[in-house]
Amino acid sequence: MRYFSIIDDAALRAGAEALCAGELVAFPTETVYGLGADAFNALALAKVFEAKQRPRFDPLIVHIADLDSVERLADLSLLDAAARARFDTLAHALWPGPLTLILPKQRAVPELATSGLPTVALRFPQHDVALALIRAAGGAIAAPSANPFGYLSPTRAEHVREQLGEKVAVILDGGPCGIGVESSVLELVSDTPRILRPGGMPRERIEALIGAVELGAASTVTKPHSPGQLKSHYAPRTSLTLHSRAEMLELPWEPASAWLFFDGDTRNLWLRRRAITAGHDHGRIYTLSEHGNLAVAAAALFETLYKIDHAGASIIHTQRVPGAGLGNAINDRLERAAVGLSC
Ligand code: TXA
Ligand code: MG
């Protein structure tokens, strides 16, 4: 495995060459690190599933670096006029950005990329390294998050090195990911658009552009369901329980537990009620955002869970975050983590 901590032309060339040779390359995006393969090389796609130990029914997102690449991958002529208008609006307003759109696929896209579905997931990420790599590698990189199946998504290149190591030919370290939760996945092929996975693009921003969208289970068009909906996804190995702010404040101190607060105020109140002083080392107390900022919390989420997971607690008591904007994506990941790892 070659690890590049400085992303210059040589690093990008090494990444692109590995992709063209059918190898796997881990690269940063604005959401989480991706485990990339040439989207048109079925053998390379198979390596992605193998490296992640990911079930074959779980389709991948294809990453592009310009709008002109859309029609190589998606057959927009199969969309009705309303869906086509929604696509145009969203692609122009929100791409590049943390939004994945589910569209009818072109025949040339290998079945392995879409797990046999008639649809393909497209995403135009907003990250210079990702965009440069996609362009250098021919315009279409299929990439799931660069973690073993069911485990935390990596927001730093070191996470990828630890979790996947030699299964990857090249790791491009572009520093920590700015958003920290995966893209929102929006199905555009049915009459009513549907968010299959809440993520880095808030539902409110989508609805402001195209009107009401549904949330939750996939329509029959894209069955099997978006496996991001599997309840056990995104889980740390330590068991995790979720509490409202009020419930969290009532929890008694236990030395074997870890505590994950959304904000500094709640943490301080909890500490005061237990007559514990903040700042003093009482073990495993973590806070997603000192000032209760949802974007800061999202960016810290996986990294913090990752740290807690290595801290040897018997259980993680976690505070739900406010359910607006990015808060929905954070709570969604926490709920999945609370169900536990099943694979
Ligand atoms: O932010 C992200 O989206 C990251 C970065 C690397 O771009 N990628 C990512 O990929 O999270 P992955 O594979 O971990 O999640 C892709 C999600 C899954 O929930 C998958 O089921 C869904 O997208 N998906 C992919 N193709 C689909 C399709 N044709 N229909 C429905 N869901 C699909
Ligand atoms: Mg993933």
Side-chain angles (χ1 to χ4, degrees):
M1 184 258 293
R2 298 173 71 193
Y3 188 101
F4 292 89
S5 46
I6 294 170
I7 311 303
D8 54 11
D9 286 350
L12 289 168
R13 205 174 321 116
E17 280 170 10
L19 287 169
C20 295
E23 304 288 346
L24 304 185
V25 175
F27 63 98
T29 78
E30 78 278 37
T31 57
V32 300
Y33 273 75
L35 178 65
D38 176 356
F40 288 100
N41 180 338
L43 276 178
L45 298 174
K47 286 186 194 167
V48 171
F49 291 101
E50 202 184 321
K52 281 188 64 106
Q53 299 186 326
R54 181 173 183 154
R56 293 290 150 109
F57 58 75
D58 196 353
L60 305 174
I61 294 174
V62 181
H63 296 68
I64 55 175
D66 51 56
L67 288 179
D68 290 342
S69 299
V70 169
E71 305 230 31
R72 259 179 85 206
L73 297 146
D75 188 349
L76 299 181
S77 72
L78 294 176
L79 291 176
D80 64 28
R84 174 65 205 243
R86 286 192 279 266
F87 168 76
D88 288 337
T89 303
L90 292 171
H92 285 97
L94 301 181
W95 274 357
L99 174 67
T100 294
L101 298 176
I102 307 293
L103 297 162
K105 97 188 223 333
Q106 288 286 9
R107 283 242 202 95
V109 179
E111 297 289 326
L112 209 45
T114 61
S115 301
L117 294 174
T119 51
V120 62
L122 288 193
R123 167 155 140 72
F124 185 167
Q126 186 164 38
H127 194 291
D128 289 346
V129 174
L131 295 176
L133 182 70
I134 296 164
R135 289 192 190 108
I141 300 180
S145 48
N147 51 285
F149 181 69
Y151 197 55
L152 301 168
S153 293
T155 53
R156 288 176 179 271
E158 303 93 81
H159 299 166
V160 183
R161 177 156 55 184
E162 272 179 43
Q163 295 181 7
L164 294 176
E166 294 305 320
K167 294 177 177 163
V168 188
V170 173
I171 297 180
L172 299 180
D173 183 350
C177 300
I179 293 182
V181 287
E182 300 89 343
S183 60
S184 302
V185 177
L186 180 69
E187 185 203 87
L188 277 185
V189 289
S190 43
D191 289 342
T192 312
R194 185 181 288 268
I195 294 178
L196 302 180
R197 177 178 75 178
M201 182 62 72
R203 175 182 186 167
E204 294 85 338
R205 284 199 65 194
I206 297 170
E207 291 192 324
L209 290 161
I210 60 165
V213 299
E214 290 178 2
L215 182 67
S219 75
T220 48
V221 187
T222 54
K223 272 188 172 136
H225 289 193
S226 187
Q229 295 176 350
L230 288 179
K231 284 230 161 72
S232 64
H233 245 65
Y234 317 104
R237 300 196 199 285
T238 315
S239 63
L240 182 152
T241 53
L242 259 180
H243 310 278
S244 67
R245 181 174 185 276
E247 287 164 355
M248 193 82 173
L249 285 169
E250 294 305 316
L251 290 179
W253 166 256
E254 300 154 13
S257 301
W259 310 84
L260 178 55
F261 290 92
F262 166 52
D263 60 301
D265 283 349
T266 308
R267 180 203 58 221
N268 290 344
L269 189 55
W270 180 82
L271 287 168
R272 269 204 303 282
R273 288 193 184 173
R274 260 127 226 106
I276 305 172
T277 326
H280 192 276
D281 181 15
H282 290 284
R284 311 174 187 96
I285 299 171
Y286 302 82
T287 308
L288 286 178
S289 163
E290 198 53 38
H291 300 293
N293 178 310
L294 286 168
V296 172
L301 179 66
F302 287 129
E303 191 182 345
T304 308
L305 287 173
Y306 195 84
K307 257 190 226 151
I308 299 179
D309 219 12
H310 286 75
S314 58
I315 189 166
I316 310 167
H317 291 293
T318 307
Q319 178 190 350
R320 266 177 207 282
V321 308
L326 282 178
N328 291 317
I330 298 173
N331 284 331
D332 174 80
R333 303 305 184 274
L334 288 173
E335 276 156 22
R336 291 169 204 282
V339 175
L341 205 61
S342 71
C343 57

